[in-house]
Amino acid sequence: MRNLRLATLLPLSSCAALGLLGETGPAEFREHLLATGLKGGYQVVAADLNRDGRPDLIALASGMKELVWFENPSWRRHAIAGNQNRMINLAAWDADSDGIPEIVLASEFANQAKNSVGLVSLLRHDGDPRGPWSVTGIDRLTTSHRLRWADIEGNGKKVLVNAPLTGAAAEAPDYRGKTPLVFYRPGEWRREAIGEKNEGVVHGIFAADWDGDGRDAILTASFVGLHLYRLGSRGWTRTEISGGDPAPWPKSGSSDVAVGRGFNKKARYIAEIEPWHGNQVAIYRQEHRGWARTVIDAGLDQGHTILTADLNGDGVDEVVAGHRGTARGVNVYYAAKKRGWEKRKLDGGDMAASACAAADLNGDGRLDIACIGSATANLKWYENLGAVREGP
């Protein structure tokens, strides 16, 4: 275990204009290694799988045939399902209201559409979540890649959104073509279209109540940038937020996206990794004529995960970004008073982060971080020890 307080200051003269500045210092973390041997670690999801009120951790590793979860607080490992090939993403939500979430899993994945079956399966417990779960196929959609639950109608009944990586005819390295976006209603599991206007690689999606009306909208990050899909009385609409990185295709656009809370309720911001598997962390804030882009870090090596969470309890969301290249690691970015964005290393080299999640894992009221590594094949929990109080 280690206490992590490595800090590098990133000056940003326009930070005050972002309206994101907090007064509380950064959080300290203690590192816990929970598992090794997770070959091709790709996604970690926090969910209570045994109805004890504690978030457990589901670990998806693309190089393994077994989907596993780790039970909080002992972190004992359990197998959910075996004989799964090339798993790529999952989403967990209690669709049948029995207190234990269903899991929808995307597997049989490949970057090249012609080699990707895109199997989508429903996983359900058989009474004891510690035992094997049943697996039922619900769809086959080429390059099924990102799965998220979203309340698109504002009625508390979530649907499953499926964002394939590319269109069915796309080929490397340009991946040209239209890319579909679809959803499924639990119980029916019939594919319904959201839209097919995105192009190239769609690497990230994010569900959020964008308009404050109780309905989730869907943000997509692709080669053509960041777009917002909203369901209205006349169907789905698509609105461009930004073009992302302005470099020529296929180095253009956006890769991963999250929405954060600023210093007041009106100071919402968008955090992105740009471009696909890119080196930049970009912050967008809304202006009268659109969204202003500011790159706060250009030093990621294969950036692959981004999330926002209030880690120091000041009401302002920090940005967590993980990268999985040779210079791998996890960074936390704080909007610091008078000094611009501060970058602090959460993990400095033995976590090739493909995905991270934020959850209060030990019930102390503070959000912790869990990350899973690809080349490092490991799962870690970074325990939030609380904020460092800084002077005026």
Side-chain angles (χ1 to χ4, degrees), residues 2 37 45 71 117 127 220 244 247 278 299 322 348 353:
R2 294 181 292 167
V45 172
E71 186 174 3
V117 174
T220 63

Side-chain angles (χ1 to χ4, degrees), residues 30-313:
R30 179 183 294 125
E31 176 184 307
H32 305 265
L33 178 63
L34 300 185
T36 59
L38 300 174
K39 183 180 179 182
Y42 195 84
Q43 186 189 21
V44 57
V45 172
D48 182 4
L49 295 188
N50 57 1
R51 288 184 292 205
D52 67 353
R54 301 185 183 101
D56 306 297
L57 295 176
I58 309 170
L60 180 153
S62 298
M64 294 172 53
K65 291 184 178 294
E66 192 175 60
L67 180 65
V68 299
W69 68 284
F70 295 86
E71 186 174 3
N72 190 351
S74 68
W75 303 115
R76 181 182 175 187
R77 174 173 167 159
H78 304 284
I80 297 174
N83 298 317
Q84 303 300 309
N85 297 314
R86 303 195 307 275
M87 295 179 289
I88 196 67
N89 223 233
L90 68 86
W93 185 65
D94 187 8
D96 61 7
S97 302
D98 70 347
I100 297 177
E102 282 66 52
I103 297 172
V104 181
L105 176 70
S107 61
E108 300 285 355
F109 172 81
N111 279 352
Q112 288 279 14
K114 62 185 179 182
N115 300 325
S116 182
V117 174
L119 181 61
V120 183
S121 302
L122 174 67
L123 281 58
R124 300 187 65 183
H125 71 92
D126 289 334
D128 181 3
R130 297 175 181 86
W133 294 38
S134 65
V135 181
T136 304
I138 59 175
D139 198 9
R140 289 174 179 253
L141 180 58
T142 302
T143 71
S144 290
H145 181 256
R146 288 290 180 263
L147 303 177
R148 299 292 184 270
W149 290 98
D151 186 359
I152 61 174
E153 294 172 324
N155 57 9
K157 298 178 181 180
K158 294 186 179 184
V159 303
L160 181 83
V161 179
N162 180 3
L165 184 75
T166 70
E171 294 188 1
D174 285 349
Y175 297 100
R176 293 282 182 181
K178 300 288 186 180
T179 307
L181 184 66
V182 305
F183 74 94
Y184 313 85
R185 299 180 189 275
E188 302 175 14
W189 301 115
R190 177 174 59 86
R191 188 196 306 171
E192 298 184 50
I194 295 176
E196 200 167 352
K197 292 184 178 180
N198 286 338
E199 297 180 56
V201 167
V202 178
H203 191 260
I205 62 173
F206 188 88
D209 182 359
W210 189 257
D211 300 310
D213 60 359
R215 293 186 174 198
D216 284 339
I218 311 300
L219 286 160
T220 63
S222 73
F223 275 9
V224 291
L226 181 66
H227 292 83
L228 181 71
Y229 285 85
R230 287 178 283 195
L231 179 63
S233 58
R234 298 184 179 181
W236 290 92
T237 62
R238 176 179 180 265
T239 304
E240 181 179 287
I241 300 295
S242 80
D245 190 304
W249 185 300
K251 299 296 184 180
S252 59
S254 306
S255 183
D256 296 274
V257 58
V259 177
R261 298 171 300 170
F263 192 59
N264 57 64
K265 292 181 180 180
K266 295 182 180 180
R268 171 178 57 188
Y269 68 92
I270 301 170
E272 290 194 0
I273 289 176
E274 297 174 347
W276 181 33
H277 294 172
N279 65 312
Q280 301 169 56
V281 176
I283 301 294
Y284 289 83
R285 70 176 184 91
Q286 194 166 18
E287 293 184 339
H288 294 299
R289 297 182 179 179
W291 291 78
R293 176 179 184 257
T294 305
V295 175
I296 64 170
D297 191 1
L300 301 186
D301 186 356
Q302 291 189 37
H304 202 268
T305 182
I306 196 163
L307 62 89
T308 57
D310 182 6
L311 301 175
N312 58 2

Side-chain angles (χ1 to χ4, degrees), residues 292-377:
R293 176 179 184 257
T294 305
V295 175
I296 64 170
D297 191 1
L300 301 186
D301 186 356
Q302 291 189 37
H304 202 268
T305 182
I306 196 163
L307 62 89
T308 57
D310 182 6
L311 301 175
N312 58 2
D314 64 355
V316 179
D317 283 345
E318 282 67 56
V319 176
V320 179
H323 52 135
R324 61 181 192 173
T326 302
R328 55 205 178 208
V330 185
N331 304 325
V332 181
Y333 304 85
Y334 294 85
K337 187 175 182 180
K338 297 181 180 179
R339 297 196 304 272
W341 285 89
E342 284 189 5
K343 168 184 170 181
R344 291 180 177 246
K345 290 184 179 180
L346 181 65
D347 196 298
D350 54 354
M351 170 52 66
S354 283
C356 297
D360 182 3
L361 295 176
N362 58 357
D364 64 359
R366 295 187 288 263
L367 287 175
D368 308 298
I369 300 171
C371 296
I372 193 168
S374 51
T376 50

